[in-house]
mmCIF file of all heavy atoms in Angstrom:
data_model
loop_
_atom_site.group_PDB
_atom_site.id
_atom_site.type_symbol
_atom_site.label_atom_id
_atom_site.label_comp_id
_atom_site.label_asym_id
_atom_site.label_seq_id
_atom_site.Cartn_x
_atom_site.Cartn_y
_atom_site.Cartn_z
ATOM 1 N N GLN A 334 -21.676 -175.681 11.823
ATOM 2 C CA GLN A 334 -20.216 -175.627 11.962
ATOM 3 C C GLN A 334 -19.815 -174.776 13.176
ATOM 4 O O GLN A 334 -18.677 -174.345 13.296
ATOM 5 C CB GLN A 334 -19.599 -175.023 10.696
ATOM 6 C CG GLN A 334 -19.893 -175.816 9.443
ATOM 7 C CD GLN A 334 -19.285 -175.154 8.226
ATOM 8 O OE1 GLN A 334 -18.076 -174.943 8.171
ATOM 9 N NE2 GLN A 334 -20.122 -174.823 7.260
ATOM 10 N N ASN A 335 -20.796 -174.507 14.058
ATOM 11 C CA ASN A 335 -20.582 -173.682 15.257
ATOM 12 C C ASN A 335 -20.161 -172.259 14.915
ATOM 13 O O ASN A 335 -19.365 -171.644 15.624
ATOM 14 C CB ASN A 335 -19.584 -174.329 16.216
ATOM 15 C CG ASN A 335 -20.115 -175.606 16.803
ATOM 16 O OD1 ASN A 335 -21.292 -175.686 17.149
ATOM 17 N ND2 ASN A 335 -19.272 -176.602 16.911
ATOM 18 N N VAL A 336 -20.699 -171.735 13.833
ATOM 19 C CA VAL A 336 -20.519 -170.343 13.436
ATOM 20 C C VAL A 336 -21.914 -169.745 13.404
ATOM 21 O O VAL A 336 -22.775 -170.210 12.659
ATOM 22 C CB VAL A 336 -19.841 -170.228 12.050
ATOM 23 C CG1 VAL A 336 -19.772 -168.785 11.605
ATOM 24 C CG2 VAL A 336 -18.455 -170.859 12.081
ATOM 25 N N TYR A 337 -22.128 -168.720 14.217
ATOM 26 C CA TYR A 337 -23.485 -168.193 14.379
ATOM 27 C C TYR A 337 -23.585 -166.764 13.855
ATOM 28 O O TYR A 337 -22.815 -165.887 14.256
ATOM 29 C CB TYR A 337 -23.891 -168.261 15.855
ATOM 30 C CG TYR A 337 -23.885 -169.673 16.343
ATOM 31 C CD1 TYR A 337 -22.767 -170.206 16.980
ATOM 32 C CD2 TYR A 337 -24.972 -170.504 16.110
ATOM 33 C CE1 TYR A 337 -22.748 -171.530 17.392
ATOM 34 C CE2 TYR A 337 -24.962 -171.836 16.521
ATOM 35 C CZ TYR A 337 -23.843 -172.327 17.162
ATOM 36 O OH TYR A 337 -23.832 -173.634 17.554
ATOM 37 N N ILE A 338 -24.519 -166.574 12.938
ATOM 38 C CA ILE A 338 -24.811 -165.268 12.360
ATOM 39 C C ILE A 338 -26.328 -165.141 12.292
ATOM 40 O O ILE A 338 -27.051 -166.106 12.509
ATOM 41 C CB ILE A 338 -24.216 -165.104 10.941
ATOM 42 C CG1 ILE A 338 -24.884 -166.086 9.965
ATOM 43 C CG2 ILE A 338 -22.704 -165.287 10.950
ATOM 44 C CD1 ILE A 338 -24.542 -165.834 8.515
ATOM 45 N N SER A 339 -26.782 -163.949 11.975
ATOM 46 C CA SER A 339 -28.198 -163.786 11.649
ATOM 47 C C SER A 339 -28.264 -163.100 10.295
ATOM 48 O O SER A 339 -27.306 -162.466 9.851
ATOM 49 C CB SER A 339 -28.935 -162.986 12.722
ATOM 50 O OG SER A 339 -28.395 -161.697 12.837
ATOM 51 N N ILE A 340 -29.366 -163.263 9.631
ATOM 52 C CA ILE A 340 -29.544 -162.692 8.297
ATOM 53 C C ILE A 340 -30.564 -161.569 8.391
ATOM 54 O O ILE A 340 -31.646 -161.737 8.945
ATOM 55 C CB ILE A 340 -30.018 -163.755 7.289
ATOM 56 C CG1 ILE A 340 -29.028 -164.931 7.231
ATOM 57 C CG2 ILE A 340 -30.245 -163.141 5.912
ATOM 58 C CD1 ILE A 340 -27.649 -164.555 6.733
ATOM 59 N N ARG A 341 -30.223 -160.434 7.839
ATOM 60 C CA ARG A 341 -31.111 -159.290 7.720
ATOM 61 C C ARG A 341 -31.102 -158.862 6.261
ATOM 62 O O ARG A 341 -30.068 -158.435 5.757
ATOM 63 C CB ARG A 341 -30.657 -158.114 8.599
ATOM 64 C CG ARG A 341 -30.598 -158.424 10.082
ATOM 65 C CD ARG A 341 -31.996 -158.651 10.636
ATOM 66 N NE ARG A 341 -32.013 -158.793 12.073
ATOM 67 C CZ ARG A 341 -31.919 -159.936 12.726
ATOM 68 N NH1 ARG A 341 -31.764 -161.060 12.064
ATOM 69 N NH2 ARG A 341 -31.966 -159.981 14.042
ATOM 70 N N LYS A 342 -32.241 -159.057 5.611
ATOM 71 C CA LYS A 342 -32.351 -158.839 4.167
ATOM 72 C C LYS A 342 -31.305 -159.709 3.487
ATOM 73 O O LYS A 342 -31.300 -160.907 3.672
ATOM 74 C CB LYS A 342 -32.255 -157.368 3.817
ATOM 75 C CG LYS A 342 -33.367 -156.542 4.426
ATOM 76 C CD LYS A 342 -33.324 -155.125 3.961
ATOM 77 C CE LYS A 342 -34.433 -154.342 4.639
ATOM 78 N NZ LYS A 342 -34.435 -152.967 4.246
ATOM 79 N N SER A 343 -30.403 -159.155 2.731
ATOM 80 C CA SER A 343 -29.377 -159.971 2.070
ATOM 81 C C SER A 343 -28.010 -159.791 2.734
ATOM 82 O O SER A 343 -26.975 -159.996 2.114
ATOM 83 C CB SER A 343 -29.298 -159.612 0.590
ATOM 84 O OG SER A 343 -28.945 -158.254 0.449
ATOM 85 N N ASN A 344 -28.023 -159.424 4.020
ATOM 86 C CA ASN A 344 -26.785 -159.195 4.751
ATOM 87 C C ASN A 344 -26.641 -160.188 5.895
ATOM 88 O O ASN A 344 -27.616 -160.529 6.555
ATOM 89 C CB ASN A 344 -26.753 -157.780 5.340
ATOM 90 C CG ASN A 344 -26.855 -156.718 4.272
ATOM 91 O OD1 ASN A 344 -26.190 -156.810 3.258
ATOM 92 N ND2 ASN A 344 -27.684 -155.729 4.491
ATOM 93 N N ALA A 345 -25.414 -160.613 6.118
ATOM 94 C CA ALA A 345 -25.107 -161.404 7.302
ATOM 95 C C ALA A 345 -24.788 -160.426 8.418
ATOM 96 O O ALA A 345 -24.010 -159.490 8.232
ATOM 97 C CB ALA A 345 -23.902 -162.306 7.044
ATOM 98 N N ARG A 346 -25.417 -160.613 9.566
ATOM 99 C CA ARG A 346 -25.147 -159.762 10.722
ATOM 100 C C ARG A 346 -24.335 -160.585 11.707
ATOM 101 O O ARG A 346 -24.750 -161.655 12.137
ATOM 102 C CB ARG A 346 -26.446 -159.286 11.358
ATOM 103 C CG ARG A 346 -26.207 -158.264 12.439
ATOM 104 C CD ARG A 346 -27.512 -157.642 12.841
ATOM 105 N NE ARG A 346 -28.024 -158.384 13.991
ATOM 106 C CZ ARG A 346 -29.069 -158.016 14.683
ATOM 107 N NH1 ARG A 346 -29.781 -156.961 14.325
ATOM 108 N NH2 ARG A 346 -29.469 -158.716 15.720
ATOM 109 N N ILE A 347 -23.165 -160.055 12.038
ATOM 110 C CA ILE A 347 -22.212 -160.765 12.873
ATOM 111 C C ILE A 347 -21.927 -159.913 14.107
ATOM 112 O O ILE A 347 -21.596 -158.735 13.984
ATOM 113 C CB ILE A 347 -20.907 -161.030 12.106
ATOM 114 C CG1 ILE A 347 -21.228 -161.774 10.810
ATOM 115 C CG2 ILE A 347 -19.904 -161.774 12.948
ATOM 116 C CD1 ILE A 347 -20.228 -161.557 9.719
ATOM 117 N N ALA A 348 -22.071 -160.506 15.263
ATOM 118 C CA ALA A 348 -21.787 -159.806 16.512
ATOM 119 C C ALA A 348 -20.522 -160.395 17.112
ATOM 120 O O ALA A 348 -20.525 -161.517 17.587
ATOM 121 C CB ALA A 348 -22.958 -159.945 17.475
ATOM 122 N N VAL A 349 -19.459 -159.649 17.046
ATOM 123 C CA VAL A 349 -18.212 -160.090 17.676
ATOM 124 C C VAL A 349 -18.062 -159.349 18.994
ATOM 125 O O VAL A 349 -18.654 -158.295 19.201
ATOM 126 C CB VAL A 349 -16.991 -159.856 16.762
ATOM 127 C CG1 VAL A 349 -17.069 -160.725 15.528
ATOM 128 C CG2 VAL A 349 -16.883 -158.394 16.364
ATOM 129 N N HIS A 350 -17.301 -159.927 19.871
ATOM 130 C CA HIS A 350 -17.107 -159.316 21.176
ATOM 131 C C HIS A 350 -15.656 -159.476 21.584
ATOM 132 O O HIS A 350 -14.863 -160.105 20.873
ATOM 133 C CB HIS A 350 -18.045 -159.966 22.205
ATOM 134 C CG HIS A 350 -18.329 -159.089 23.376
ATOM 135 N ND1 HIS A 350 -17.499 -159.038 24.457
ATOM 136 C CD2 HIS A 350 -19.339 -158.221 23.624
ATOM 137 C CE1 HIS A 350 -17.980 -158.178 25.332
ATOM 138 N NE2 HIS A 350 -19.092 -157.669 24.848
ATOM 139 N N ILE A 351 -15.330 -158.963 22.727
ATOM 140 C CA ILE A 351 -13.946 -158.960 23.196
ATOM 141 C C ILE A 351 -13.364 -160.367 23.304
ATOM 142 O O ILE A 351 -12.170 -160.570 23.139
ATOM 143 C CB ILE A 351 -13.833 -158.201 24.533
ATOM 144 C CG1 ILE A 351 -12.390 -157.913 24.849
ATOM 145 C CG2 ILE A 351 -14.551 -158.939 25.648
ATOM 146 C CD1 ILE A 351 -12.192 -156.897 25.941
ATOM 147 N N TYR A 352 -14.209 -161.357 23.536
ATOM 148 C CA TYR A 352 -13.693 -162.725 23.695
ATOM 149 C C TYR A 352 -13.475 -163.434 22.368
ATOM 150 O O TYR A 352 -12.922 -164.530 22.352
ATOM 151 C CB TYR A 352 -14.614 -163.562 24.596
ATOM 152 C CG TYR A 352 -16.045 -163.586 24.163
ATOM 153 C CD1 TYR A 352 -16.471 -164.393 23.115
ATOM 154 C CD2 TYR A 352 -16.984 -162.790 24.802
ATOM 155 C CE1 TYR A 352 -17.794 -164.412 22.722
ATOM 156 C CE2 TYR A 352 -18.312 -162.794 24.406
ATOM 157 C CZ TYR A 352 -18.699 -163.612 23.373
ATOM 158 O OH TYR A 352 -20.002 -163.616 22.976
ATOM 159 N N ASN A 353 -13.898 -162.854 21.252
ATOM 160 C CA ASN A 353 -13.638 -163.473 19.951
ATOM 161 C C ASN A 353 -12.196 -163.218 19.545
ATOM 162 O O ASN A 353 -11.629 -162.168 19.827
ATOM 163 C CB ASN A 353 -14.577 -162.920 18.878
ATOM 164 C CG ASN A 353 -15.995 -163.364 19.095
ATOM 165 O OD1 ASN A 353 -16.847 -162.571 19.451
ATOM 166 N ND2 ASN A 353 -16.250 -164.641 18.900
ATOM 167 N N THR A 354 -11.626 -164.191 18.871
ATOM 168 C CA THR A 354 -10.227 -164.109 18.451
ATOM 169 C C THR A 354 -10.145 -163.943 16.938
ATOM 170 O O THR A 354 -11.131 -164.120 16.225
ATOM 171 C CB THR A 354 -9.475 -165.389 18.846
ATOM 172 O OG1 THR A 354 -10.038 -166.492 18.104
ATOM 173 C CG2 THR A 354 -9.581 -165.657 20.341
ATOM 174 N N LEU A 355 -8.953 -163.648 16.467
ATOM 175 C CA LEU A 355 -8.736 -163.582 15.022
ATOM 176 C C LEU A 355 -9.005 -164.940 14.388
ATOM 177 O O LEU A 355 -9.494 -165.017 13.263
ATOM 178 C CB LEU A 355 -7.319 -163.118 14.708
ATOM 179 C CG LEU A 355 -7.012 -161.657 15.046
ATOM 180 C CD1 LEU A 355 -5.543 -161.341 14.771
ATOM 181 C CD2 LEU A 355 -7.909 -160.726 14.250
ATOM 182 N N GLU A 356 -8.713 -166.003 15.119
ATOM 183 C CA GLU A 356 -8.990 -167.344 14.610
ATOM 184 C C GLU A 356 -10.493 -167.550 14.410
ATOM 185 O O GLU A 356 -10.921 -168.208 13.460
ATOM 186 C CB GLU A 356 -8.425 -168.411 15.551
ATOM 187 C CG GLU A 356 -6.915 -168.490 15.544
ATOM 188 C CD GLU A 356 -6.232 -167.406 16.382
ATOM 189 O OE1 GLU A 356 -6.898 -166.767 17.248
ATOM 190 O OE2 GLU A 356 -5.040 -167.182 16.171
ATOM 191 N N ASP A 357 -11.313 -166.979 15.301
ATOM 192 C CA ASP A 357 -12.772 -167.060 15.146
ATOM 193 C C ASP A 357 -13.215 -166.357 13.860
ATOM 194 O O ASP A 357 -14.068 -166.861 13.135
ATOM 195 C CB ASP A 357 -13.489 -166.413 16.333
ATOM 196 C CG ASP A 357 -13.312 -167.168 17.631
ATOM 197 O OD1 ASP A 357 -13.127 -168.396 17.591
ATOM 198 O OD2 ASP A 357 -13.364 -166.506 18.693
ATOM 199 N N VAL A 358 -12.620 -165.206 13.593
ATOM 200 C CA VAL A 358 -12.969 -164.457 12.377
ATOM 201 C C VAL A 358 -12.522 -165.243 11.143
ATOM 202 O O VAL A 358 -13.266 -165.359 10.166
ATOM 203 C CB VAL A 358 -12.346 -163.047 12.403
ATOM 204 C CG1 VAL A 358 -12.611 -162.312 11.097
ATOM 205 C CG2 VAL A 358 -12.882 -162.254 13.595
ATOM 206 N N ASP A 359 -11.318 -165.810 11.198
ATOM 207 C CA ASP A 359 -10.845 -166.643 10.085
ATOM 208 C C ASP A 359 -11.793 -167.823 9.852
ATOM 209 O O ASP A 359 -12.119 -168.156 8.711
ATOM 210 C CB ASP A 359 -9.435 -167.172 10.353
ATOM 211 C CG ASP A 359 -8.367 -166.095 10.255
ATOM 212 O OD1 ASP A 359 -8.633 -165.034 9.637
ATOM 213 O OD2 ASP A 359 -7.267 -166.311 10.811
ATOM 214 N N ARG A 360 -12.238 -168.449 10.943
ATOM 215 C CA ARG A 360 -13.148 -169.598 10.832
ATOM 216 C C ARG A 360 -14.474 -169.191 10.200
ATOM 217 O O ARG A 360 -15.045 -169.924 9.402
ATOM 218 C CB ARG A 360 -13.373 -170.212 12.217
ATOM 219 C CG ARG A 360 -13.999 -171.575 12.178
ATOM 220 C CD ARG A 360 -13.834 -172.315 13.491
ATOM 221 N NE ARG A 360 -14.260 -171.575 14.652
ATOM 222 C CZ ARG A 360 -15.487 -171.630 15.167
ATOM 223 N NH1 ARG A 360 -16.400 -172.396 14.617
ATOM 224 N NH2 ARG A 360 -15.794 -170.951 16.236
ATOM 225 N N LEU A 361 -14.950 -167.985 10.530
ATOM 226 C CA LEU A 361 -16.181 -167.471 9.909
ATOM 227 C C LEU A 361 -16.020 -167.411 8.398
ATOM 228 O O LEU A 361 -16.850 -167.930 7.653
ATOM 229 C CB LEU A 361 -16.520 -166.088 10.460
ATOM 230 C CG LEU A 361 -17.521 -165.278 9.638
ATOM 231 C CD1 LEU A 361 -18.916 -165.883 9.718
ATOM 232 C CD2 LEU A 361 -17.532 -163.837 10.079
ATOM 233 N N PHE A 362 -14.947 -166.789 7.929
ATOM 234 C CA PHE A 362 -14.772 -166.638 6.487
ATOM 235 C C PHE A 362 -14.467 -167.962 5.804
ATOM 236 O O PHE A 362 -14.898 -168.191 4.674
ATOM 237 C CB PHE A 362 -13.730 -165.565 6.172
ATOM 238 C CG PHE A 362 -14.275 -164.188 6.374
ATOM 239 C CD1 PHE A 362 -13.927 -163.446 7.491
ATOM 240 C CD2 PHE A 362 -15.170 -163.647 5.474
ATOM 241 C CE1 PHE A 362 -14.459 -162.181 7.693
ATOM 242 C CE2 PHE A 362 -15.719 -162.394 5.662
ATOM 243 C CZ PHE A 362 -15.341 -161.657 6.784
ATOM 244 N N GLU A 363 -13.764 -168.856 6.482
ATOM 245 C CA GLU A 363 -13.534 -170.187 5.908
ATOM 246 C C GLU A 363 -14.870 -170.907 5.743
ATOM 247 O O GLU A 363 -15.108 -171.545 4.713
ATOM 248 C CB GLU A 363 -12.603 -170.992 6.805
ATOM 249 C CG GLU A 363 -11.166 -170.535 6.750
ATOM 250 C CD GLU A 363 -10.294 -171.205 7.812
ATOM 251 O OE1 GLU A 363 -10.765 -172.154 8.473
ATOM 252 O OE2 GLU A 363 -9.141 -170.770 7.957
ATOM 253 N N ALA A 364 -15.726 -170.818 6.753
ATOM 254 C CA ALA A 364 -17.040 -171.467 6.672
ATOM 255 C C ALA A 364 -17.895 -170.847 5.576
ATOM 256 O O ALA A 364 -18.571 -171.554 4.824
ATOM 257 C CB ALA A 364 -17.748 -171.385 8.026
#
Side-chain angles (χ1 to χ4, degrees):
Q334 300 179 58
N335 294 320
V336 175
Y337 299 94
I338 65 170
S339 61
I340 303 297
R341 300 292 187 268
K342 298 185 182 179
S343 61
N344 300 315
R346 187 169 94 172
I347 305 154
V349 294
H350 203 275
I351 194 166
Y352 54 78
N353 291 110
T354 65
L355 291 176
E356 289 79 17
D357 292 332
V358 175
D359 288 341
R360 194 163 52 92
L361 163 70
F362 284 104
E363 287 171 10

